[in-house]
Amino acid sequence: MPRSPSASAHKKALDAAIALIAKQGIETTSMDAIAKQSGVSKATIYKHWTDKNSLLLEVMAVVNGLHLRPDFDSGNTRADLVKVLAYRPKEYADVREQIMPHFMAYSAHNQEVGMAWRNMVMDPPRRELRHLLKLAISRGKVIPQLDLDLSLSLLLGPIIYWFVFLRNVEEDPTRLAEGVVDAFWRAFSLPSRKNTTNKHRKLA
């Protein structure tokens, strides 16, 4: 189905903003530059977004696939933790890694975007991981005294580090996520009942 003129202009301006930010960063991407790149007038752009920050918030949501996050609870906690940490929407995959460091830097000194970054980008995986860890505790998969806040830092910290420092060196976030979860699981998981039973039989 063809897009309406309004929807088409919205998509063109949004895609132009994404391409410019990926190429040159947020500070040097002006509304004038977006208008020139997209072929959409600045007046029309301001009909869709009240200011640059509101446009940035939509860029953040679209690039991170925040409206389409899947359900990560398959029943296999260890595999689900990997899926949350490695989740990368297919759309805009070619520019996501270029854009994210720019948003991190911009968020450090722009309070509105910084709060949105925390609420929109960081909170969804934090909520999903916390939910999965609580399930793991209730299912006897990890130690019952597990510190959830510390666990979230241990799981998410290496992923953020990858985005900032290693994205051009290590291009496989799934492999990193698997390594992070394996290390976490070795430190905090409980032996399965089956393994414990077998161990007791050998000792008997």
Side-chain angles (χ1 to χ4, degrees):
M1 180 181 293
R3 293 177 181 272
S4 68
S6 177
S8 179
H10 189 100
K11 181 73 162 55
K12 287 179 180 178
L14 188 64
D15 285 346
I18 291 170
L20 287 169
I21 293 170
K23 182 179 180 180
Q24 63 190 32
I26 294 175
E27 298 284 3
T28 54
T29 297
S30 65
M31 299 298 257
D32 286 320
I34 294 169
K36 183 178 180 180
Q37 173 92 355
S38 65
V40 178
S41 72
K42 195 159 80 166
T44 299
I45 291 175
Y46 276 114
K47 289 180 181 179
H48 291 266
W49 298 280
T50 56
D51 54 23
K52 182 177 176 179
N53 275 2
S54 63
L55 173 54
L56 291 177
L57 297 186
E58 184 165 353
V59 168
M60 192 185 301
V62 168
V63 167
N64 286 281
L66 299 181
H67 304 309
L68 300 170
R69 290 186 71 85
D71 180 7
F72 294 101
D73 184 8
S74 71
N76 184 332
T77 304
R78 187 172 179 174
D80 291 336
L81 291 173
V82 172
K83 289 177 182 177
V84 172
L85 294 179
Y87 174 64
R88 303 290 182 274
K90 292 182 179 180
E91 192 174 12
Y92 298 107
D94 55 333
V95 295
R96 185 176 303 110
E97 274 69 38
Q98 286 75 42
I99 284 180
M100 289 302 100
H102 293 303
F103 267 105
M104 289 180 180
Y106 192 75
S107 296
H109 62 83
N110 185 296
Q111 186 175 8
E112 180 183 357
V113 175
M115 288 295 295
W117 171 271
R118 188 181 74 180
N119 294 335
M120 295 170 64
V121 178
M122 296 307 299
D123 277 358
R126 281 176 58 85
R127 286 194 299 269
E128 291 155 359
L129 291 171
R130 184 180 289 272
H131 171 69
L132 291 171
L133 292 174
K134 286 182 176 180
L135 287 177
I137 293 172
S138 68
R139 293 167 179 168
K141 299 295 185 181
V142 297
I143 59 173
Q145 67 272 31
L146 186 72
D147 185 323
L148 292 177
D149 289 328
L150 175 60
S151 298
L152 294 176
S153 298
L154 293 173
L155 291 167
L156 287 169
I159 306 301
I160 296 172
Y161 182 88
W162 178 86
F163 265 121
V164 177
F165 296 108
L166 299 178
R167 62 189 177 86
N168 292 324
V169 179
E170 173 58 70
E171 296 296 343
D172 186 2
T174 299
R175 193 168 75 114
L176 172 63
E178 288 172 345
V180 170
V181 173
D182 282 347
F184 179 86
W185 208 255
R186 285 196 301 271
F188 299 108
S189 66
L190 290 171
S192 68
R193 292 180 180 177
K194 180 179 179 181
N195 290 341
T196 302
T197 300
N198 290 338
K199 183 178 179 181
H200 287 164
R201 285 174 179 171
K202 290 178 181 179
L203 293 174

